Amino acid sequence: MAHTTGRTCNSLRISTEPLDDVYHDRNLLAIAFARAMRLAWGPDTVGWHRHDGWPVVWVDTPAGQKSWHATPDLEDVLKRSPLDKHEPTGGYDGHLRTLKNCRLARYITLSY
């Protein structure tokens, strides 16, 4: 049985954080991931651009392309980051959230 830190497997963890705070954290993590991948693979494998008024952070990995919409308030962070403002080579590949998350899991587990 997996370690559950004193809770049963049936208990639910209810977050008291506002949803906006959770998304802000996720957005910063996506930007940090892109920055780390830029260091590993170079500037042509990551970047950001605007789409429909939203900044979009993207990363090309061996497991496929991933992208995340960030909130407009983080555009200043993106502008001050080492990420270049440009779209992926070849453009957006049409991935949706489920495929993006599958690609991310495959990248994490080296299953590509």
Side-chain angles (χ1 to χ4, degrees), residues 15 21-22 29 33-34 41 44 50-51 53 62 69 72 74 101:
S15 176
D21 290 347
V22 173
L29 187 57
F33 174 69
W41 300 323
D44 294 336
R50 290 188 64 77
H51 180 261
H69 283 82
L74 289 174
N101 288 340

Side-chain angles (χ1 to χ4, degrees), residues 8-103:
T8 66
C9 292
N10 293 328
S11 67
L12 296 176
R13 180 178 178 272
I14 299 173
S15 176
T16 57
E17 284 187 271
L19 194 54
D20 287 347
D21 290 347
V22 173
Y23 277 110
H24 185 79
D25 292 353
R26 192 262 325 183
N27 292 338
L28 288 172
L29 187 57
I31 294 167
F33 174 69
R35 184 182 186 279
M37 295 304 94
R38 184 185 192 280
L39 292 171
W41 300 323
D44 294 336
T45 60
V46 301
W48 72 279
H49 61 94
R50 290 188 64 77
H51 180 261
D52 290 339
W54 291 81
V56 176
V57 179
W58 62 270
V59 178
D60 275 327
T61 72
Q65 188 183 90
K66 295 136 198 62
S67 62
W68 299 267
H69 283 82
T71 51
D73 64 303
L74 289 174
E75 190 164 346
D76 182 58
V77 171
L78 288 163
K79 287 179 179 177
R80 292 183 292 127
S81 80
L83 303 178
D84 295 326
K85 186 177 180 184
H86 64 96
E87 293 190 26
T89 304
Y92 170 64
D93 71 0
H95 65 269
L96 299 177
R97 184 177 161 269
T98 301
L99 180 57
K100 171 187 69 181
N101 288 340
C102 180
R103 289 174 175 175

